[in-house]
Amino acid sequence: LAKTTQPISMDSYEGQEVNITCSHNNIATNDYITWYQQFPSQGPRFIIQGYKTKVTNEVASLFIPADRKSSTLSLPRVSLSDTAVYYCLVGFYSGGGADGLTFGKGTHLIIQP
Amino acid sequence: DVKVTQSSRYLVKRTGEKVFLECVQDMDHENMFWYRQDPGLGLRLIYFSYDVKMKEKGDIPEGYSVSREKKERFSLILESASTNQTSMYLCASRDMTQHFGDGTRLSIL
């Protein structure tokens, strides 16, 4: 199982772009990269998923270099409501199995006014 | 939208009791999961199920069991609750991504 490493915490300000990087040196050929967001007293919520290059949705962008050993979640123009814990997961989402289910401790992002 | 519903948001039980936590999903997903979340430890996988009546141990199964009699329902059972099982319990179901319930905050006194 590919292990991920991400910063424990980050601070930023409203209106800024925030980039959170995740390292996954042992990523396998079939693995996808998925990011989740969690607010206090709620379950994690899916943000974005990708395999290579760049993926963008209405919430965030995900940048994955060619070697796929890291990935960067980019949140454009953050607001106070983006204060949350962000988790990076790596795994192959086949029909069964526990692959890609290790959440780790995540990155606690704090947005200040 | 996928909906994963956990039966209780808050639960208080006593040491030694048998405790049932229920989870229901409405998207016909084959895979369902139980996690616990504790401060400083992140989410840890207790058990998961990839089909009816099938179950697999996660990282911390000791003191827990599960039941999956119907596809939409996955139950976590604390056979004899202990104070160190006081925690937030999260259920999820999965297609390409995991969909979580809002959690049950369980206190064992």
Side-chain angles (χ1 to χ4, degrees), chain A residues 103, chain B residues 33-39 41-47 60 62 64 76 78 82-91 100 104 106:
Chain A
F103 271 77
Chain B
F33 312 86
W34 276 106
Y35 293 85
R36 65 177 282 177
Q37 184 170 31
D38 302 287
L41 297 178
L43 281 83
R44 293 180 290 168
L45 182 64
I46 305 172
Y47 266 98
I60 51 164
E62 295 78 19
Y64 303 94
L76 179 69
L78 286 66
S82 64
T83 54
N84 62 12
Q85 292 177 310
T86 291
S87 185
M88 168 73 94
Y89 290 87
L90 290 158
C91 174
F100 284 84
T104 296
L106 175 65

Side-chain angles (χ1 to χ4, degrees), chain B residues 87-98:
Chain B
S87 185
M88 168 73 94
Y89 290 87
L90 290 158
C91 174
S93 71
R94 184 177 84 179
D95 41 26
M96 279 293 288
T97 66
Q98 291 189 73

Side-chain angles (χ1 to χ4, degrees), chain A residues 25-48:
Chain A
N25 291 318
N26 297 324
I27 190 169
T29 303
N30 292 334
D31 285 346
Y32 281 76
I33 300 154
T34 309
W35 286 80
Y36 293 84
Q37 175 192 56
Q38 186 180 24
F39 298 113
S41 300
Q42 294 185 23
R45 182 175 69 100
F46 168 80
I47 302 175
I48 197 165

Side-chain angles (χ1 to χ4, degrees), chain A residues 68-82:
Chain A
R68 303 203 324 125
K69 292 184 183 299
S70 67
S71 59
T72 299
L73 174 72
S74 181
L75 304 172
R77 296 185 302 280
V78 294
S79 64
L80 295 176
S81 63
D82 291 314

Side-chain angles (χ1 to χ4, degrees), chain A:
Chain A
L1 298 178
K3 183 178 177 180
T4 60
T5 303
Q6 50 183 126
I8 295 294
S9 65
M10 293 180 66
D11 293 324
S12 189
Y13 294 91
E14 282 192 293
Q16 299 295 304
E17 178 184 78
V18 171
N19 296 310
I20 306 174
T21 296
C22 179
S23 298
H24 27 80
N25 291 318
N26 297 324
I27 190 169
T29 303
N30 292 334
D31 285 346
Y32 281 76
I33 300 154
T34 309
W35 286 80
Y36 293 84
Q37 175 192 56
Q38 186 180 24
F39 298 113
S41 300
Q42 294 185 23
R45 182 175 69 100
F46 168 80
I47 302 175
I48 197 165
Q49 185 179 72
Y51 182 79
K52 62 180 180 180
T53 61
K54 177 183 174 182
V55 179
T56 298
N57 61 23
E58 64 277 7
V59 176
S61 295
L62 179 59
F63 298 93
I64 305 167
D67 66 6
R68 303 203 324 125
K69 292 184 183 299
S70 67
S71 59
T72 299
L73 174 72
S74 181
L75 304 172
R77 296 185 302 280
V78 294
S79 64
L80 295 176
S81 63
D82 291 314
T83 293
V85 179
Y86 292 82
Y87 297 94
C88 163
L89 277 74
V90 172
F92 176 56
Y93 303 99
S94 60
D99 203 21
L101 300 178
T102 301
F103 271 77
K105 297 180 183 179
T107 297
H108 190 191
L109 175 64
I110 299 171
I111 306 301
Q112 301 182 42

